Amino acid sequence: MSDIQQKIKNLVESNKVVVFMKGTPEMPQCGFSARTVQCLQSVGAPLEAVDVLADSEIRQGIKNFTNWPTIPQVFIKGEFIGGCD
């Protein structure tokens, strides 16, 4: 497993809810990321957000990790749930 894959695995396993998104919850950089965060926040879900625009290795690495081509990507209790689309 590559270093980036291990980093993603650690993030997913050590947080109840993780969203790999474009931007941050306070300043999302795409509509899908904004809607995903709004949905989770509306039910009070504590979430860890990872801005894929800040790290190109994470951006490509998460796509490889899940074999899912789009962002955002949501994990709950270590399980890949999907995205906004």
Side-chain angles (χ1 to χ4, degrees):
M1 182 175 287
S2 72
D3 288 346
I4 200 67
Q5 295 295 305
Q6 187 61 52
K7 182 177 180 178
I8 291 168
K9 185 176 187 281
N10 291 345
L11 281 165
V12 167
E13 290 177 350
S14 63
N15 293 283
K16 186 174 180 180
V17 179
V18 182
V19 179
F20 291 85
M21 62 181 290
K22 293 178 180 175
T24 64
E26 299 77 22
M27 190 170 244
Q29 297 298 308
C30 84
F32 293 118
S33 291
R35 280 190 285 274
T36 299
V37 168
Q38 286 172 340
C39 181
L40 291 167
Q41 289 176 335
S42 74
V43 296
L47 65 94
E48 176 69 24
V50 179
D51 181 1
V52 300
L53 298 178
D55 187 333
S56 61
E57 286 186 353
I58 291 274
R59 185 175 186 170
Q60 186 55 49
I62 192 61
K63 293 175 184 181
N64 296 339
F65 189 80
T66 58
N67 197 30
W68 188 265
T70 59
I71 304 235
Q73 294 191 16
V74 178
F75 292 80
I76 298 175
K77 296 182 181 176
E79 181 181 351
F80 175 54
I81 302 302
C84 185
D85 53 346

